[in-house]
Structure formats: C-alpha cells, structure tokens
Amino acid sequence: MTVAYAKRLRGWRFILFNIVLGLGHMVVLFNVGAYIALLPDVAGELGGVFPSFGTWGQTYFIIALALAFPIARWLSGRFGDYRLFIAAFVVFAFASYLCAASQTLWLFIPARIVLGFSGGITLYIGQPLLLKEYPDQLKLLGLGIWGLITLMPFTISFPIGGLIADELGWRYLFYLNIVFALAIAGICGSLLAGRGVERRDTRFDNIGFVLLALVVGSMQTLLNLGNDFDWLNSPFLCATMIVLIIALPCFIIWELDERHPAFSIRLFADRNFTIGVICLSVGFLLIQGLLSLLIVQLQVLLGYSSFLAGMVYLPMILLAAPMTVAMHRLPKSLDVRLPACLNLLGFSFTFYWLGLFDDPGSFDQIFWPVLLLGFFLGSFFMPLTRLTLHGLSGSREIRAAEETGLLRVVAGAFGITLQGVMLFRRTPLHQLQLADHFGGRKFASIDVLQGFSSRLEAFGLDKTLVNGRLLTLIKQQATLLALNDAFLLASFLFIGLAGLVWLAYPTHQPLHPTLVKELGDIQAEELMVEP
C-alpha cells in the first residue's frame, strides 16, 4: 500500500528540519573523525592494548557503516524512510551507551559495529529525506549544504574530539551521542508525524548481502590483525583467508545472475563508472589512511596532546568549505576530466610536500600543506562523482551513486590499516639504516653515536640511560622517515590516478550512439523478467 506524502514543511519547521538533519549527519560523521583523535586514550583505557588494537573500533565502524547502505534501501522501502531514520537514531543512542560503558575491547568492538550500522542507515536516508522538502529550484542549494556537512570528519571533528579526550575523557563522546541522537529522533518524529509512507516492496538479496559482508569483513580482519598476529602464521587468519578465497568468487557469480542484486557488478561494464570508482576509492583510501596515521603518530610518537594533534587539521576548513560550494556550480558543459585531473595532481603535490616533514617541533611545517590540502579535499568528490555517473540514468544512476559511496567508505577503512601496515614494515628498515650509518657500520670513519655517547658518559651520565635515549631517538626518526615514505608513495599514486581519468569518456558531450545502445542492452538484461 502506498500513501502519498504530505505537503512539504514550510517556514520555521523547514528551517528546524534542515538544522536537525544536518546535525544528525554531523553526529554520525563526527564519530569517524573524532574517534581517531581519541584512539590512543581509548586503547589505554580498554585494557592498555596497543593503538593498533584500538584501530579496530574505527575500521569495523566504517565497514558496518558502508554495509548499511544496501540494506537501508530495502528497509526504507518496507517501513518508510522517516520511520527507519528515527529508529536508526534510537539504536545509535543505545549503541553509544554500550560504547561508553565498555571496559574491554570485546564489548566495545561489537558496540562500534552496531553504532556504524545504524549510523550508515541514517546517512543513506538523510540526504533524500532532506531534499524531498526542497523545491526543485533549491535542490542544488540543499546539496551544497549537505556537502559542507560531509567535510566534518576531516576538519573540526579532530580538534573537538581531542578536546573531549583531554578535558572530559573519551567516553563523553558517546555520552554526547546519546543526547543528540535521542533529541534528533524526537524532533524529526514530531515534525514528520502523520507523514505518509511510500512503500516499495522489493525482494532483498539476502545471500548476496551475506557474501558481500563476508568478503569485506574478512579482508578488513586480515588487515586489522595481520601485523599483530603475524599474518598467515596465525591459524585464525589462515581460516579468514580461506573464507575470503571461497566467498569472493561465489559473490561475483551470484551477483551476476541475480535480478535484484545487493551489489550490481554489471555496472563495471561502464568505462566511466569503473574509472571513476577506482579514482574515488583509491584516492579516498590514501586520504583517509594518511590523515588517520598522521594524527595518531603525532600523539604516540611526538607527544602531541589529542587537542593539539586535532588542531593540525583545522586549517583545512578555511579552503575546503568554499571549494565544496564552488564545485556544486561546475557548468554541465565542462569536461570534468580536467578539474578531476588537476585535483589529483594537487593531492600529489601536497602529499609530496608533507612527505618532506622532518622537524617534530615545527608546527608551521605542517600548517601550510594542510591548508592547501583543504583546497583539494573540497574539490575532490564532485568532479569524480560526475565522471562516475556520466551516461547513466534512472535506476542505474541511483545504484551507481549508492555503490560508489559504499566502495569509497570501505576503501577508507582499508586505508587506515594499510597505512599502518606500511609504517610497521618501513620503520625497522629505517631504524637499521640509521643505526648502521651513525654507528660506523656503513662507513668506518663515521661513528657519531659512539662519540656522542662517550661525551655524555664523560659528563657523568649513566651508559645504559644514554644508550636507551639514543635508541629512542633513532626509533622516532625512523618512524618519521617511514611516515614520509607513506606520503611520498601516495604522491606518486595520485599522479597515476590523474592520468587514469583521461581514459574515461568526455563528459561535456553525449555518448556515442553505439555505446548508448550497448548500455541500453545491459540495462534491459538487468531488468529482464525471468520466466
């Protein structure tokens, strides 16, 4: 049964609805950025585990957030979008309470997964729920506002999260979640009370969704636990790898033959979609991973407070906000391959600049490249999204947008752990090279460490203390060099992505008639009713 929607909200109700939905979006995304600033504190209180263990709470949260997208589409069709939105925020509040009450990782991680899943449902529903209230001539304005809110995880959430950790304690992030989530659910329920429900009864691909969850979850588990449990020397990780090897081909075969797939693999037959998804996913993998890695290492390695480490990213908002608004006004006649290429080259330059960071005490050395990073972050999503969706229409365009978001979010989770793997692998190499170089093992005429150590001992310092301090200094510099390697590698990868966009079809002109026919045949095959 389908019930028509009531009239759009007007006046102060419309303004309040905008504020509340924007706040809800910010609350969910705030848990992405703020948790990174809190991570060392969380790891210390949940049994004093390594920071890499605390990272699990972030990566599984993001994976659950992404997996919520396909199931949110089906649930909103069965129960109505605004009802599901309110219910998801109630679950979000309950999961936040479990996170705040956790004393060990074994309760905290499942609670974060539930938190991410409920938050992902609100993200999927929130934007279309908001745009339904906008007149057609103002929908572009609504998208611009939504884009500004989406910058939250990369800008102000870091310093605010750090301030919460330093002044109140990390658990207060989740206590605040409870207050805001329940308030948002209550206000939205009041504003939309009596609103009709548009029901769309479609079959949900249960098997496809389970296989997708197995593939993504097992890959993330391998990356999360690999460094700490010696990869395939661990029986558990061996079993996880077997699950992945079996589930991946099963998932591809099943989804290719499914009429209503949880994840439409056939979209990859479109060249622009494939190239756009690669650029968005790999680019976001590098951005999310490097920003998360840097803020944690500023605290763990260089002794920054959580607030000061978060303040490093605050300058990004100065250029990111205006660029996000400007990108929504790109003329349709423009070939977006050009701004996309320039943006990716800009990221390459900025990450190369950050890769030269070598002074732990110099805040200014980070400020200027981070300020420039905000410029390119604000212009990253829109050109590549338009490139990805070019030539698609109707239900295929909607599914493409949904799956692009899912893959981008999953890539962000992978990026966090992949950058940790690189740091774990490169640090010992640099540590050995520094010890060999300054210890005289590479050049006999250079034995800086021995000479410096002897001079300190001559002033009465204990030899063990001196050697320990020198070892700590070498390890710190080795980690900085490994961090630089991560940024420099990302710089080179962005150059490759900048070249890749030119293999896509131009977006300022219609597709070739032959290609249009091929895409039409693919869509007809997807919609074909089985006998």
Side-chain angles (χ1 to χ4, degrees), residues 23 40-41 84 113 139 166 189 205 208 229 248 312 322 337 343 355 363 380 423 455 461 463 486 526 530:
L23 182 61
D41 299 80
L84 182 61
I113 292 173
K139 288 189 186 297
D166 290 342
D205 181 17
F229 294 94
L248 181 57
V312 168
R337 294 182 302 175
N343 174 268
F363 194 91
F380 175 69
L423 191 73
R455 291 183 63 183
L461 295 178
K463 181 178 180 179
E526 289 180 348
E530 297 177 356

Side-chain angles (χ1 to χ4, degrees), residues 199-523:
R199 298 188 184 278
R200 303 179 300 277
D201 291 327
T202 58
R203 189 173 69 84
F204 181 64
D205 181 17
N206 298 289
I207 296 177
F209 178 77
V210 171
L211 289 172
L212 175 63
L214 283 175
V215 170
V216 175
S218 57
M219 290 179 67
Q220 187 62 63
T221 299
L222 284 168
L223 293 173
N224 279 350
L225 278 62
N227 281 341
D228 296 304
F229 294 94
D230 200 16
W231 299 97
L232 296 183
N233 287 324
S234 163
F236 174 74
L237 292 183
C238 282
T240 304
M241 176 62 78
I242 293 172
V243 170
L244 175 60
I245 293 173
I246 295 174
L248 181 57
C250 291
F251 169 70
I252 295 173
I253 294 170
W254 177 269
E255 293 299 76
L256 284 174
D257 196 45
E258 177 65 24
R259 184 165 175 251
H260 298 288
F263 186 92
S264 180
I265 296 178
R266 293 179 181 273
L267 285 170
F268 286 94
D270 180 78
R271 181 192 296 185
N272 277 36
F273 177 81
T274 302
I275 292 175
V277 163
I278 291 173
C279 291
L280 277 168
S281 299
V282 175
F284 195 70
L285 180 150
L286 297 170
I287 295 167
Q288 178 81 30
L290 288 172
L291 294 184
S292 301
L293 181 66
L294 179 59
I295 194 171
V296 172
Q297 291 304 316
L298 288 174
Q299 299 175 67
V300 175
L301 181 66
L302 303 181
Y304 282 42
S305 67
S306 297
F307 175 68
L308 184 58
M311 286 294 292
V312 168
Y313 293 146
L314 190 59
M316 284 197 297
I317 199 172
L318 299 177
L319 296 180
M323 281 306 300
T324 300
V325 176
M327 284 296 106
H328 281 82
R329 296 192 171 274
L330 283 177
K332 293 185 177 179
S333 59
L334 176 68
D335 185 357
V336 294
R337 294 182 302 175
L338 178 60
C341 177
L342 293 176
N343 174 268
L344 295 169
L345 289 175
F347 270 113
S348 175
F349 171 76
T350 307
F351 283 142
Y352 185 84
W353 192 357
L354 282 168
L356 302 178
F357 174 65
D358 61 359
D359 184 1
S362 176
F363 194 91
D364 292 342
Q365 196 174 352
I366 304 178
F367 175 84
W368 295 109
V370 167
L371 178 66
L372 185 60
L373 187 63
F375 179 88
F376 296 113
L377 183 64
S379 57
F380 175 69
F381 297 103
M382 183 54 66
L384 287 174
T385 300
R386 279 181 53 178
L387 180 74
T388 304
L389 302 181
H390 177 63
L392 302 176
S393 60
S395 61
R396 282 172 58 82
E397 184 179 27
I398 296 173
R399 288 299 300 270
E402 173 192 318
E403 293 184 10
T404 301
L406 186 152
L407 291 172
R408 176 173 56 82
V409 173
V410 169
F414 289 171
I416 293 173
T417 42
L418 279 172
Q419 296 299 344
V421 171
M422 182 170 183
L423 191 73
F424 182 82
R425 294 295 180 183
R426 296 293 294 177
T427 299
L429 175 64
H430 285 296
Q431 190 172 346
L432 180 61
Q433 289 177 342
L434 288 174
D436 286 347
H437 182 81
F438 293 106
R441 287 186 288 273
K442 182 173 290 189
F443 301 102
S445 59
I446 302 177
D447 191 358
V448 178
L449 292 179
Q450 183 61 41
F452 185 60
S453 177
S454 300
R455 291 183 63 183
L456 291 177
E457 291 175 27
F459 285 106
L461 295 178
D462 182 69
K463 181 178 180 179
T464 304
L465 178 64
V466 171
N467 290 337
R469 179 56 185 161
L470 289 176
L471 180 62
T472 302
L473 183 62
I474 289 176
K475 185 175 180 180
Q476 181 189 68
Q477 294 302 317
T479 307
L480 276 178
L481 290 173
L483 195 61
N484 289 346
D485 288 345
F487 278 101
L488 294 175
L489 177 61
S491 174
F492 299 138
L493 289 175
F494 269 108
I495 293 176
L497 295 177
L500 180 63
V501 296
W502 293 105
L503 297 179
Y505 293 111
T507 62
H508 65 293
Q509 58 189 6
L511 296 176
H512 191 276
T514 304
L515 182 62
V516 172
K517 183 179 183 304
E518 291 177 358
L519 293 176
D521 292 341
I522 293 173
Q523 184 171 8

Side-chain angles (χ1 to χ4, degrees), residues 81-95:
D81 47 9
Y82 86 90
R83 293 178 180 175
L84 182 61
F85 183 82
I86 294 168
F89 263 114
V90 173
V91 176
F92 189 87
F94 175 70

Side-chain angles (χ1 to χ4, degrees), residues 42-71:
V42 174
E45 284 200 31
L46 294 180
V49 296
F50 292 117
S52 59
F53 286 28
T55 305
W56 303 351
Q58 179 72 348
T59 53
Y60 285 128
F61 171 86
I62 296 175
I63 291 296
L65 188 146
L67 290 175
F69 290 177
I71 202 169

